[in-house]
Amino acid sequence: MRKTILFLFAGLLFASNLIAQQPKKYNATEIFEAIQKLNFLGSALYIAAHPDDENTRLISYLSNDLKARTAYLSLTRGDGGQNLIGPELRELLGVLRSEELLAARRIDGGEQFFSRANDFGYSKHPDETLAIWNKEAVLSDVVWTIRNFRPDIIINRFDHRSPGTTHGHHTSSAMLSFEAYDLAANPDKFSDQLNYTAPWQPKRLFFNTSWWFYGSQENFEKADKTNLLEFEIGNYYPLRGVSNNEIAALSRSQHRSQGFGSMGSRGSQTEYLEFLKGDMPKDKTNLFEGINTTWSRVKNGEAIGKILGKIEENFNFKDPSSHLPHLLNAYGHINKIEDDYWRALKLKEIKQIITACAGLYLEAVANDVSANPGDQITLSIEAINRSDSAIILKSISTNLNNSQQGLNTPLNNNEKQDIELEVVLPDTLSYTAPYWLTKKAELGMYMVKDQNLIGKPETPRALSVTFNLVFDNSITLPIVKDVIYKYSDPAKGEVYQPFEILPPVATAFENKVNIFSDAQPKDISLKVRAVKDNITGIISLDLPEGWEVHPAVINFNIKNKGEEKAVTFNVTPPSNENVATIKPLVRINGDAYSGALTEIAYDHIPTQTVLMPSEAKVVRLNIEKAGENIGYIVGAGDAVPESLQQIGYNVMTIAPEDINAENLKRFDAVVVGIRAYNIVDELKFKQSFLLEYVKQGGTVIVQYNTTWRGGDFPVKNLAPYELKLSRDRVTDENSEVSIIAKNHSLINFPNKITQNDFNGWVQERGLYFPNQWGAEFSPILSMNDKGESAKKGSLLVAPYGKGYYIYTGLSFFRELPAGVPGAYKLFTNMLSIGKKQVKTDDKKIKG
């Protein structure tokens, strides 16, 4: 075993959350398909707005059937959506959904890109979308992606000609793509990009249409299809034993946070593309007809095509290593290509093929999952050749400087070489962080200044190792591997994780929002986590004027890496209502730290450790409440229960199987979580207990649900009276709200609700309001987006027996965790209804 010391000194670099999955181990079929792709010089770019908007059937067809280089450009990371599998929202949801897209691409064979657009929530019109996104900035990102990826074909998921008929983000993605198609070739547009790339003109632009865009199958059958390409995508792949649609279903099922698990389908299926720009193919079943996708499109490339064609024609599935001499010959030719784009792309592809044919396994594993700048770490290097090819491991180098470790070690067939490498990380090395989160974002845009990072799905890794290999004593191949961490789990076996660069300490508030319902002091707790051994320091809170904290600082000492210590500060709020942000400040040996580490761990994606600023909101409210014990039925997942606990309620989660008359009697009110009826099947059998609970004097508050899965609502008797849900929503969080039931108890008891209580709302007012209801219901509020009719279904209340039934589409699941004062007051009034007689001229409600 060899062991050397390598000191690395380098400038500022970005760390990352790049995927550290189990290394790809190619079988003979996959090597053969990789050679087919190497021998195809055509590319297609699919463009839409969000994760899960992409047509995985078409992406899989392009990649696996046609063998084209295929990518999906999602303008956003889905940050404004919801999460059906966990608590991550906003920025953390964006990280999760980015990883889900990468998981999908690993299955369907595509690549993944993003723009800097921030998913700010639902938008009804592209005018609104593009004003919030900053049209020019997002357009430049689309142009940048086209210039770098150089697609022959661009396919839009949505129609650019139908503004206002679907999500504004959707239409905007098509409009930007339509405009960027020509701009990408114009050197006078976004000319600063040309310091890093070159203009590019795609050959064709399509819209991925279907009968759905025509309103019905009947309308589609009657439509003029002169400009439509029609082709079969349900093909079966014998080498894989699955059909294209089965691959696509597995890919789409990676969008678990959106609940898009799909069953595999088999049989014929037709896809339609409407021609928009460029040259229309004569053969309407052949996307690339008339486009040169052979090696002859590259100067001096014909010889490469001949070599690869013979390998493909005579591929040896029993011993792929027999093709190594010819592959090495092709590698030499590719290395001499003048075109930088094709040389870089095809060198990457052929090196993977050569490595796979030789059965080469090359790996660099850190001795711990994370390290700090300035640390010394140990890398365990493994290199093994499982073929008869003569290979020498000439040297190992790192990406942080030009130092190399000379080895000249022969890699004999199936003889593993283990090497240890000691590495000192530069003090200036940046911490692991998604590059789009390192600067504070605007409402519609992430702030990314480094042009070379824009579009990437993740930040390039901080540390990698290059294995410099010599084949047949003549050809040198550099193979780059990112440093990873792995360990043995008793249940899962070998587990891989990203190797992280982290600060020595991190903090996390116990509650991201701390509500002060009066002027009394309150304890605010946070945890200090050691990310290295033997941490000693002090921690304080950075508070705005008017807030007081005791003690001023707290000393701490943590012996072992990974341990946490809880500290508590006593905070006194100002006498008047106030909303502020507080931050912790940790000092160790004169250096200051204020980051929070969040782990995102699911089986379908690599574990992500996200470093973001540690902060919490403090809200001083003058708020009153009635009732104490609240039952909560969890739906799609939200932080409403924790938020209610912040203002003194005793909140207990009710499992569906525990919903019965006896258990419900304990509660002053029962709250049903968002989309609970959509995802908790058992509720359809429990609805009678909830309505009977209301009839006997209880209060049930049902938050928004949808009818989007098939149209029929899962529960026939959602309410005790007529109540029909719709797609009505108010997406502008600043839209005017009118109080139309000014004397109602929900507006007056125990807190007086005024127009000011609708200030500071985030992302939206609400969604999927009812648009029809029985006369027993009283609408409380009216609101609408610009240019639309008033929507009065956001908050409805009706007496039933001795109790009250409330349905609300207001986005309390966003407002309460964001610490919006008015949302707390209104929700408290809902929970307090019926707890005290309130004077009202509304005969339906007796407080």
Side-chain angles (χ1 to χ4, degrees):
M1 181 177 290
R2 299 170 184 264
K3 188 172 183 179
T4 65
I5 302 291
L6 181 60
F7 290 90
L8 305 177
F9 301 96
L12 188 66
L13 295 172
F14 283 96
S16 91
N17 280 330
L18 198 65
I19 292 169
Q21 58 175 334
Q22 290 258 352
K24 174 72 174 176
K25 302 179 180 72
Y26 288 82
N27 58 40
T29 293
E30 289 167 329
I31 295 172
F32 175 69
E33 291 181 330
I35 293 171
Q36 290 180 309
K37 283 196 142 188
L38 180 64
N39 213 15
F40 187 94
L41 279 71
S43 55
L45 179 64
Y46 200 88
I47 298 179
H50 309 105
D52 72 44
D53 281 345
E54 81 275 28
N55 183 342
T56 55
R57 297 187 307 272
L58 187 51
I59 290 176
S60 177
Y61 169 80
L62 290 165
S63 177
N64 297 303
D65 199 302
L66 300 186
K67 309 303 180 184
R69 186 189 182 201
T70 309
Y72 173 42
L73 169 58
S74 175
L75 296 193
T76 77
R77 295 176 183 267
D79 329 71
Q82 294 152 37
N83 186 357
L84 295 183
I85 62 174
E88 295 84 10
L89 290 174
R90 287 306 307 155
E91 294 88 355
L92 294 179
L93 178 60
V95 174
L96 169 58
R97 296 191 71 188
S98 296
E99 292 299 324
E100 289 183 330
L101 271 180
L102 287 168
R105 299 294 81 78
R106 289 194 293 272
I107 291 172
D108 59 36
E111 300 175 46
Q112 185 62 51
F113 302 108
F114 295 95
S115 83
R116 291 170 292 174
N118 191 346
D119 181 1
F120 57 84
Y122 191 85
S123 173
K124 294 180 178 178
H125 198 281
D127 288 349
E128 176 196 22
T129 298
L130 296 174
I132 294 175
W133 270 357
N134 182 341
K135 178 189 173 183
E136 280 299 292
V138 183
L139 179 61
S140 74
D141 290 356
V142 179
V143 169
W144 170 253
T145 302
I146 293 172
R147 286 173 172 174
N148 282 316
F149 186 72
R150 293 172 60 169
D152 297 306
I153 293 168
I154 295 178
I155 302 171
N156 293 342
R157 183 68 180 103
F158 300 103
D159 190 351
H160 67 286
R161 299 158 296 191
S162 56
T165 61
T166 183
H167 197 324
H169 296 182
H170 291 169
T171 309
S172 294
S173 70
M175 293 169 63
L176 292 170
S177 174
F178 191 84
E179 189 172 352
Y181 178 88
D182 294 316
L183 293 180
N186 184 350
D188 296 326
K189 192 65 176 176
F190 307 117
S191 56
D192 289 350
Q193 295 180 3
L194 302 184
N195 294 322
Y196 312 96
T197 189
W200 178 254
Q201 180 60 66
K203 305 296 190 300
R204 293 164 188 156
L205 176 66
F206 296 99
F207 159 46
N208 186 193
T209 191
S210 69
W211 69 262
W212 187 89
F213 291 96
Y214 288 77
S216 69
Q217 189 73 47
E218 182 181 1
N219 289 342
F220 182 63
E221 294 297 331
K222 297 177 181 178
D224 179 9
K225 298 183 177 60
T226 303
N227 280 342
L228 295 191
L229 272 68
E230 177 180 338
F231 49 94
E232 171 65 45
I233 63 165
N235 300 327
Y236 174 68
Y237 305 136
L239 288 177
R240 294 193 179 196
V242 294
S243 68
N244 184 71
N245 289 342
E246 288 173 296
I247 296 172
L250 288 173
S251 172
R252 188 154 184 79
S253 295
Q254 302 310 300
H255 296 300
R256 298 184 189 178
S257 64
Q258 284 294 94
F260 282 146
S262 301
M263 293 184 66
S265 63
R266 286 146 293 279
S268 177
Q269 185 160 355
T270 303
E271 198 70 48
Y272 298 92
L273 297 181
E274 180 184 354
F275 173 75
L276 298 177
K277 280 187 179 183
D279 62 294
M280 178 74 163
K282 296 177 182 178
D283 180 356
K284 292 186 178 181
T285 65
N286 184 355
L287 276 172
F288 285 92
E289 192 267 337
I291 298 174
N292 187 358
T293 59
T294 73
W295 275 97
S296 64
R297 78 181 292 175
V298 177
K299 183 179 178 181
N300 299 322
E302 291 90 341
I304 302 169
K306 290 180 180 179
I307 296 170
L308 297 177
K310 288 182 179 179
I311 296 174
E312 187 177 335
E313 184 178 351
N314 302 291
F315 188 74
N316 187 341
F317 284 89
K318 291 185 177 181
D319 183 16
S321 68
S322 64
H323 300 295
L324 281 171
H326 296 100
L327 287 168
L328 290 167
N329 185 19
Y331 173 84
H333 284 286
I334 294 173
N335 211 14
K336 296 176 183 177
I337 291 175
E338 295 179 10
D339 188 308
D340 293 340
Y341 170 81
W342 286 113
R343 184 176 65 253
L345 176 64
K346 293 303 181 179
L347 279 178
K348 181 180 178 181
E349 291 182 21
I350 198 169
K351 283 196 289 186
Q352 291 175 335
I353 294 170
I354 290 171
T355 301
C357 284
L360 274 167
Y361 188 88
L362 306 169
E363 188 172 73
V365 180
N367 61 324
D368 205 341
V369 69
S370 67
N372 314 125
D375 281 356
Q376 178 174 302
I377 64 171
T378 301
L379 300 183
S380 296
I381 309 294
E382 178 181 341
I384 185 169
N385 166 28
R386 290 167 290 188
S387 73
D388 290 328
S389 181
I391 304 174
I392 295 174
L393 179 57
K394 181 180 179 181
S395 62
I396 295 173
S397 61
T398 69
N399 65 311
L400 296 182
N401 67 2
N402 295 320
S403 297
Q404 295 186 336
Q405 180 186 13
L407 295 170
N408 292 315
T409 301
L411 297 181
N412 298 320
N413 191 348
N414 216 28
E415 293 182 5
K416 187 173 69 167
Q417 296 294 323
D418 290 318
I419 304 164
E420 277 197 4
L421 193 64
E422 299 292 338
V423 177
V424 175
L425 301 173
D427 291 330
T428 54
L429 200 60
S430 288
Y431 303 132
T432 293
Y435 69 85
W436 63 97
L437 298 181
T438 58
K439 304 288 185 182
K440 187 173 179 62
E442 295 178 352
L443 173 62
M445 294 293 294
Y446 285 111
M447 299 295 103
V448 181
K449 300 302 181 183
D450 187 339
Q451 183 66 50
N452 286 312
L453 287 175
I454 292 173
K456 293 183 182 296
E458 299 177 299
T459 315
R461 293 299 300 274
L463 182 59
S464 62
V465 169
T466 299
F467 296 78
N468 294 294
L469 304 169
V470 178
F471 286 75
D472 296 332
N473 296 312
S474 59
I475 300 177
T476 300
L477 264 72
I479 307 295
V480 179
K481 296 289 183 179
D482 289 325
V483 172
I484 50 87
Y485 172 72
K486 69 177 181 180
Y487 65 95
S488 178
D489 181 271
K492 300 178 180 179
E494 192 174 55
V495 176
Y496 283 73
Q497 286 187 222
F499 171 67
E500 315 278 10
I501 306 296
L502 300 175
V505 65
T507 59
F509 284 97
E510 182 178 342
N511 297 305
K512 292 295 183 69
V513 175
N514 298 272
I515 306 296
F516 293 75
S517 57
D518 52 36
Q520 295 301 309
K522 184 176 182 178
D523 286 344
I524 292 183
S525 298
L526 65 160
K527 292 181 179 179
V528 183
R529 175 182 170 186
V531 194
K532 68 182 301 182
D533 292 335
N534 299 316
I535 294 292
T536 299
I538 60 172
I539 182 170
S540 60
L541 287 186
D542 181 12
L543 287 164
E545 185 177 353
W547 294 79
E548 298 178 359
V549 61
H550 180 81
V553 298
I554 295 176
N555 296 295
F556 69 90
N557 175 267
I558 305 177
K559 183 178 180 181
N560 298 312
K561 179 178 180 177
E563 288 187 21
E564 293 182 334
K565 180 180 178 63
V567 298
T568 301
F569 292 92
N570 189 254
V571 175
T572 303
S575 57
N576 298 321
E577 289 195 347
N578 186 282
V579 179
T581 298
I582 61 174
K583 301 176 182 179
L585 186 63
V586 178
R587 293 190 180 276
I588 301 173
N589 298 326
D591 295 321
Y593 304 93
S594 58
L597 285 175
T598 302
E599 185 177 89
I600 303 176
Y602 295 99
D603 287 342
H604 65 304
I605 65 167
T607 299
Q608 301 294 299
T609 303
V610 183
L611 179 67
M612 295 178 64
S614 181
E615 59 184 28
K617 183 175 284 189
V618 286
V619 182
R620 166 71 172 92
L621 289 178
N622 289 318
I623 191 168
E624 301 290 339
K625 63 185 182 67
E628 295 293 336
N629 299 312
I630 307 299
Y632 202 88
I633 300 171
V634 177
D638 56 59
V640 171
E642 295 86 346
S643 300
L644 297 180
Q645 289 171 342
Q646 282 280 323
I647 54 176
Y649 281 108
N650 176 30
V651 184
M652 180 180 296
T653 298
I654 309 173
E657 60 269 20
D658 294 330
I659 299 174
N660 57 57
E662 189 62 29
N663 284 337
L664 295 179
K665 286 195 305 184
R666 298 177 293 166
F667 302 111
D668 297 307
V670 173
V671 181
V672 181
I674 59 172
R675 294 175 66 176
Y677 291 99
N678 296 125
I679 66 172
V680 183
D681 289 338
E682 196 169 349
L683 280 182
K684 69 178 68 172
F685 308 114
K686 299 292 184 174
Q687 184 67 1
S688 60
F689 292 109
L690 291 173
L691 296 182
E692 183 62 25
Y693 164 74
V694 176
K695 193 173 184 180
Q696 297 303 319
T699 297
V700 165
I701 300 170
V702 177
Q703 298 178 87
Y704 96 91
N705 283 264
T706 77
T707 58
W708 71 281
R709 288 186 183 274
D712 293 330
F713 197 73
V715 178
K716 293 183 179 180
N717 56 338
L718 173 63
Y721 310 112
E722 179 192 2
L723 187 68
K724 185 176 180 180
L725 304 186
S726 74
R727 308 297 289 181
D728 288 351
R729 62 197 301 166
V730 177
T731 62
D732 183 357
E733 64 269 36
N734 298 310
S735 63
E736 184 178 352
V737 177
S738 298
I739 300 172
I740 58 177
K742 295 182 179 179
N743 295 321
H744 198 284
S745 62
L746 288 188
I747 299 301
N748 296 282
F749 174 75
N751 304 287
K752 179 69 174 178
I753 303 298
T754 69
Q755 213 68 45
N756 290 336
D757 290 307
F758 296 96
N759 294 337
W761 284 51
V762 299
Q763 188 158 323
E764 62 193 351
R765 290 296 188 194
L767 63 170
Y768 305 147
F769 302 158
N771 62 355
Q772 294 181 30
W773 52 84
E776 297 85 355
F777 280 103
S778 292
I780 306 300
L781 306 170
S782 176
M783 60 190 71
N784 58 274
D785 282 320
K786 183 179 179 180
E788 295 190 352
S789 61
K791 306 295 187 293
K792 298 182 179 180
S794 64
L795 178 57
L796 302 171
V797 58
Y800 181 59
K802 300 176 183 178
Y804 300 91
Y805 178 95
I806 299 173
Y807 187 93
T808 180
L810 293 171
S811 296
F812 289 107
F813 72 100
R814 298 194 191 279
E815 313 312 321
L816 297 185
V820 178
Y824 273 91
K825 292 180 180 180
L826 183 55
F827 207 96
T828 298
N829 284 8
M830 291 158 54
L831 293 170
S832 302
I833 191 170
K835 306 302 185 294
K836 181 181 179 181
Q837 190 74 24
V838 176
K839 184 178 179 180
T840 175
D841 60 4
D842 186 338
K843 295 181 180 180
K844 298 189 186 77
I845 302 297
K846 297 299 183 182

